[in-house]
């Protein structure tokens, strides 16, 4: 099955920016969506947004206030998460995952069948 690997995490000061990448191998994406999730320390995993591979349409969770942008690169077979104006509450492990339409479009975790191992993002105040 598809293998997903996140990269780009690290330590950043509040107000800074990071760009995370999710590299996929083993399968094509076809009609699947790729989503981004995060899990803050001591909290449940939350859905951030998703992108449809076949057409590039995106859907974002509420509360991000336009700071996060998901994009795709068909040549490199990656999905990126650009995060701007980072805040300490953004500190979390960030995951990419592949899911099935339609439930994955709104972030239903059980509809995602492949997950990366996560990359740590730490935002200092």
């Amino acid at each position: 099955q598809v293998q997903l690997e996140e990269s780009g995490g690290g330590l950043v000061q509040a107000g800074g920016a990071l760009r995370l990448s999710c590299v996929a191998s083993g399968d094509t994406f076809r009609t699947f969506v790729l989503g981004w999730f995060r899990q803050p320390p001591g909290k449940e995993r939350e859905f951030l947004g998703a992108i449809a591979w076949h057409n590039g349409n995106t859907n974002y969770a509420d509360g991000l206030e336009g700071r996060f942008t998901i994009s795709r690169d068909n040549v490199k077979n990656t999905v990126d998460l650009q995060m701007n104006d980072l805040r300490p509450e953004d500190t979390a492990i960030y995951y990419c995952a592949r899911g099935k339409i339609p439930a994955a479009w709104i972030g239903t975790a059980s509809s995602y069948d492949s997950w990366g191992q996560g990359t740590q993002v730490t935002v200092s105040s």
Side-chain angles (χ1 to χ4, degrees), residues 94 115 117-118:
Y94 284 71
W115 293 79
Q117 66 181 10

Side-chain angles (χ1 to χ4, degrees), residues 84-105:
N84 298 324
D85 192 24
L86 286 164
R87 306 164 182 173
E89 54 264 40
D90 294 320
T91 295
I93 302 175
Y94 284 71
Y95 299 88
C96 66
R98 185 193 70 176
K100 299 177 181 179
I101 298 172
W105 189 244

